[in-house]
């Protein structure tokens, strides 16, 4: 039941432009759980649906190029249009000196694999749920990274990119969050 998420999105778009890229739970809802309309329902809220796309925009006088996609951490980007989005935002291949590039990429480990040689001004990520269980400020488990994951939260320098990893609001593991408060991250781009 993703009705709460849709309600939140409708409220957020009344406040500011909202950019949304899918993660594994949206894909699972659509293809494994029979929610055939989830992508259309999300887009109908008025969010900018970044599923293998990017947009140029100006917000508060700042030129931005915002793109997004869902990819697992593999050697190559595999979904349709993901490579085109990465290339369009990559500061190494574009003259984007006056444009801030923001990539919304669900799995942060993609920056260590298929995007290791690319540069984005800012990457917004999640997926690790903060490591689900945290001890001493470190996550103990992540779905893609296993035990003692390297990337679970905070601001991380990954290659030439600043990557902000949110612990998120929910969980998807069979056990609850422990010592791992949900978070909603606010990033000021200036």
């Amino acid at each position: 039941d993703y009705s709460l998420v849709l309600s939140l999105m409708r409220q957020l778009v009344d406040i500011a432009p909202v950019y949304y890229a899918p993660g594994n739970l949206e894909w699972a809802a659509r293809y494994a759980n029979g929610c055939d309309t989830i992508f259309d329902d999300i887009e109908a809220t008025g969010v900018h649906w970044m599923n293998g796309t990017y947009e140029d925009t100006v917000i508060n006088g700042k030129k931005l190029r915002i793109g997004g996609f869902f990819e697992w951490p593999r050697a190559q980007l595999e979904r349709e249009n993901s490579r085109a989005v990465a290339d369009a935002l990559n500061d190494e291949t574009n003259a984007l000196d006056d444009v801030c590039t923001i990539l919304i990429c669900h799995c942060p480990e993609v920056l260590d694999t298929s995007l290791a040689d690319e540069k984005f001004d800012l990457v917004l990520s999640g997926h690790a749920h903060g490591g689900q269980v945290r001890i001493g400020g470190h996550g103990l488990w992540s779905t893609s990274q296993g035990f003692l994951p390297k990337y679970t939260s905070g601001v991380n320098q990954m290659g030439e990119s600043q990557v902000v990893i949110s612990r998120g609001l929910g969980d998807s593991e069979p056990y609850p969050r422990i010592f791992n408060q949900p978070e909603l991250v606010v990033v000021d781009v200036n």
Side-chain angles (χ1 to χ4, degrees):
D1 178 16
Y2 53 94
S3 62
L4 289 175
V5 174
L6 295 176
S7 176
L8 174 63
M9 286 185 230
R10 285 186 205 97
Q11 293 173 58
L12 291 174
V13 298
D14 286 341
I15 298 169
V18 177
Y19 293 81
Y20 188 111
N24 55 298
L25 296 180
E26 288 84 1
W27 285 95
R30 182 173 185 174
Y31 294 108
N33 298 325
C35 298
D36 296 338
T37 62
I38 186 170
F39 290 6
D40 294 333
D41 293 345
I42 291 169
E43 193 168 18
T45 66
V47 303
H48 297 260
W49 179 239
M50 302 281 98
N51 185 21
T53 60
Y54 71 92
E55 294 179 14
D56 290 324
T57 189
V58 177
I59 298 176
N60 293 333
K62 180 78 175 167
K63 294 180 190 176
L64 303 171
R65 177 169 284 179
I66 304 171
F69 51 68
F70 171 72
E71 288 281 349
W72 288 111
R74 297 185 175 125
Q76 300 292 322
L77 297 177
E78 296 179 347
R79 296 191 188 275
E80 183 179 1
N81 298 328
S82 292
R83 172 51 49 203
V85 170
D87 289 345
L89 273 71
N90 183 6
D91 279 351
E92 297 296 318
T93 58
N94 288 290
L96 297 172
D97 296 337
D98 64 337
V99 177
C100 178
T101 58
I102 301 173
L103 175 63
I104 308 168
C105 180
H106 188 69
C107 296
E109 309 92 328
V110 172
L111 279 290
D112 270 350
T113 56
S114 52
L115 298 178
D117 296 327
E118 305 199 28
K119 179 183 178 188
F120 310 101
D121 293 322
L122 176 64
V123 180
L124 303 173
S125 193
H127 186 65
H129 297 271
Q132 200 65 23
V133 175
R134 295 181 72 80
I135 295 180
H138 300 285
L140 295 182
W141 169 260
S142 167
T143 303
S144 294
Q145 300 174 56
F147 286 103
L148 302 176
K150 186 175 180 180
Y151 305 112
T152 61
S153 65
V155 179
N156 299 263
Q157 184 71 38
M158 297 175 73
E160 295 292 317
S161 302
Q162 289 287 316
V163 182
V164 176
I165 304 170
S166 171
R167 291 193 312 260
L169 299 173
D171 57 52
S172 64
E173 299 297 333
Y175 46 88
R177 289 176 179 258
I178 299 173
F179 306 120
N180 180 15
Q181 292 296 314
E183 70 176 352
L184 180 63
V185 175
V186 176
V187 178
D188 288 322
V189 177
N190 46 27

